[in-house]
Amino acid sequence: MMREVAGAGFAVGLALVASAREVVVLRDGWKFSREEHPAAMRGFAYDRVERALDDPAKADLPMIACNFHKPAFDDSKWRSVRVPHDWGVEHAFLCDLPHLDAYLDVTGAGWYRRKFQVEGGRLKVGEKTCMMPSDGKVFFETDGAMSFAMVWINGHFVGGWPYGYTPWRVELTPYLKADSDNVLAIRCYVWKDASRWYTGGGLYRECRLVCEEADHIVPGSVAVRTELAAKSARVTVTYEMSLGGKKSRTFTVENPHLWDVDDPYLYTLELEGRTFRYGIRTISFHADERGFQLNGRRVPIRGMCLHNDLGAIGAAFNVSAARRRLELLKEAGVNAIRMAHNEPDPKLLDLCDEMGLLVMDEVFDQWAINKCANDYGRLYERWWEKDLRTWIRTDRNHPSVIIWGFGNEIMESRMTDKEREDFKALARKMIAVCHEEDPTRPATTACDRPDNAFNGYADIPDIYGFNYRAECYEKFHAQSPDKPFFGSETCCALMTRGEFFFPVNFGKRRTTYGFPYWNYHASGYGWDGDYSPDYEWAQQEKTPSVMGDFTWTGFDYLAGTFSTPMLRRHPQFTDPERQKAAEEEVRTYGTVRSGMHTCPTGIFDLAGFRKDQFYLYQ
């Protein structure tokens, strides 16, 4: 059995070709503060904020002792910052802070304020202006804000979004003041124990003001699909206008130039006065030796997983930094990226479109059962469908995207028999939404428990993803010969650049209390056994139907489960004096007074320097 999929993609361009839509990107001119009066926290309790974001019209937000949202508030003593901005990397590491925040001061609130003017029918932001249609609308848009973002315009609460990775927008029009200053105020909050990795905090992706005609393209409604024939491609574009309803357009491209990993060709498309890019290509997934096929030929998936941060600049998205990382990964022979475990910045997908990198696009690290006390599990019941639909609608037209991943190592799959049945039921609901929003790509979850491959769950996703279970490949193919599968997370390239420990004894690499670290470093020889690339590749050779894999990870990242407190309670230093001092710190404080703020699983370190394993992959 094979799943034959044809698709095309575009990257939404913000440059305008007509006056119907004008955009001002909000970079400079922001005032910022981390302060918040303690009494105000009662008005910003988790459940109260979540309900307010779910239905802004019914928001109940008593602003106790807090005037930051009011236009008259004096923000002259606040700092000036440039957006994208991550407040968590602005100060030194402090090991009294949570290790999953990379020992950085990211937990808590941050406030942003920005003034702009409305003069003579034009929106004025510093030196930039844009025309406001007489019957049009003005929106604040962002590609993501971390997290629980709440927006006020001239003191009026207009909405926001809790999940920090989802793009969203709110309308400002009813509360704008003509011939006067208008004050945009945004509060973001990062909850303690909100993630298993460093998320960053604040307006860490692009923000903008958008002026639209009254009848404009509904964000996320555009879907571009292609059908490839012998010497032509039929392109069908469907979209929705805010007043005019659903529309469609079909045209033919003769002798199409296909998008490919070695030749990522992109076309342009004009739609309602706006310009988009798109690509034409076919994808299919097979359970036999044909594996994953791009434009009718086998392309083994040689992938790497990437977390959200960009090292020293934190989570604040930077196109140049992201491009450099992708260039280094291509140098290593990588042809695919897994966005672990959240929706990426749209500009990262733009880069993958341009550079010919395949993408496994992923959205959730947990469903209803938490991994951390305040992670997405608390939001899941009311927000999963909104986040899932927004995610696919935002990303579905990028030709680089080939797989939807809607869950990673989900807790329901690890629990009781009843919860494992809940896991299957939730998966069926979510994959139905994936198919409804985009029937052209397969949807899957990344599973780390081997029993999920053999207990009937494998029938639910379109393709099956194994996390660290290469020993299951041969058995799975024998039991499910019609199910395409791949390594959704493999190897774990745990090593520190330039650190080697002797004697080399691979049989004792794992310690009794955690992971193989000395002096907070992992040996440059890497792991042995079922976490090594040698083992993974050997299993793939035994089972040629494996479509490929995604190694954990391309780059080291901030925090993560490998920066475990166990290392601080059980120090292992090679220098006797340092070991003695560390043991005394444990007796006095319960932990060593230092820590490891990165997860060293990349084939590149946090700064992008090559580790030894880079050359093995190359």
Side-chain angles (χ1 to χ4, degrees), residues 546-560:
V546 182
M547 294 186 292
D549 71 293
F550 293 88
T551 292
W552 191 263
T553 53
F555 285 78
D556 292 356
Y557 57 95
L558 292 169

Side-chain angles (χ1 to χ4, degrees), residues 219-436:
S221 68
V222 178
V224 182
R225 296 174 186 168
T226 66
E227 296 176 70
L228 195 62
K231 295 183 179 181
S232 66
R234 180 177 176 176
V235 181
T236 302
V237 185
T238 59
Y239 61 102
E240 184 177 356
M241 300 296 291
S242 58
L243 298 179
K246 295 182 179 179
K247 294 187 177 183
S248 65
R249 174 183 169 190
T250 301
F251 58 93
T252 299
V253 177
E254 299 294 342
N255 300 311
H257 192 155
L258 300 186
W259 185 95
D260 210 307
V261 289
D262 298 319
D263 185 15
Y265 189 84
L266 295 167
Y267 288 88
T268 59
L269 165 72
E270 288 195 8
L271 192 66
E272 304 291 343
R274 295 176 57 185
T275 299
F276 305 98
R277 298 185 308 176
Y278 73 100
I280 300 172
R281 51 94 175 113
T282 64
I283 57 174
S284 60
F285 301 81
H286 306 264
D288 54 27
E289 286 78 2
R290 290 173 294 173
F292 167 68
Q293 301 254 321
L294 176 65
N295 299 326
R297 76 182 193 288
R298 175 159 189 165
V299 176
I301 295 173
R302 300 189 178 103
M304 291 282 167
C305 302
L306 284 183
H307 255 310
N308 187 53
D309 73 80
L310 289 169
I313 64 175
F317 188 78
N318 181 281
V319 173
S320 295
R323 181 185 292 110
R324 172 179 177 259
R325 286 192 163 197
L326 297 182
E327 288 172 346
L328 288 170
L329 289 170
K330 284 179 71 73
E331 183 184 338
V334 171
N335 67 3
I337 305 296
R338 178 187 176 209
M339 305 299 181
H341 309 288
N342 46 261
E343 183 174 3
D345 190 295
K347 293 181 182 57
L348 184 55
L349 292 180
D350 289 348
L351 290 173
C352 291
D353 289 344
E354 296 165 6
M355 299 172 69
L357 284 162
L358 306 169
V359 173
M360 177 180 173
D361 204 350
E362 198 165 71
V363 67
F364 298 134
D365 188 45
Q366 54 280 130
W367 296 347
I369 299 179
N370 301 68
K371 294 176 181 175
C372 300
N374 291 309
D375 64 20
Y376 194 80
R378 291 191 66 174
L379 289 171
Y380 178 84
E381 183 177 354
R382 279 205 283 205
W383 286 88
W384 75 264
E385 187 171 351
K386 286 180 282 190
D387 281 313
L388 192 69
R389 290 188 187 278
T390 303
W391 164 58
I392 293 181
R393 290 173 184 177
T394 301
D395 295 352
R396 64 185 168 187
N397 295 306
H398 288 277
S400 55
V401 176
I402 61 169
I403 299 170
W404 300 119
F406 60 95
N408 171 67
E409 299 181 358
I410 296 302
M411 292 300 292
E412 283 86 343
S413 72
R414 305 179 178 188
M415 311 299 280
T416 65
D417 290 341
K418 179 188 180 304
E419 285 161 333
R420 282 194 286 273
E421 289 305 309
D422 291 342
F423 174 57
K424 295 178 184 179
L426 293 174
R428 288 188 184 97
K429 291 198 315 185
M430 297 174 76
I431 201 168
V433 172
C434 291
H435 292 164
E436 183 179 330

Side-chain angles (χ1 to χ4, degrees), residues 468-471 490-493 505-510 516 525-539 613 616-617:
Y468 306 108
R469 297 299 175 190
E471 73 276 8
T490 66
C491 299
C492 195
N505 188 342
F506 286 109
K508 297 181 180 179
R509 294 310 305 272
R510 302 190 197 185
Y525 287 117
W527 280 23
D528 68 327
D530 55 2
Y531 280 83
S532 72
D534 306 84
Y535 181 81
E536 173 68 29
W537 297 337
Q539 299 307 308
Q613 210 162 91
L616 178 64
Y617 278 90

Side-chain angles (χ1 to χ4, degrees), residues 128 141 161 168 182 196 272 335 393 400 506 518 572:
K128 299 177 182 178
E141 283 186 356
W161 206 275
W168 50 271
N182 290 265
R196 298 191 299 142
E272 304 291 343
N335 67 3
R393 290 173 184 177
S400 55
F506 286 109
W518 296 264
Q572 188 168 328

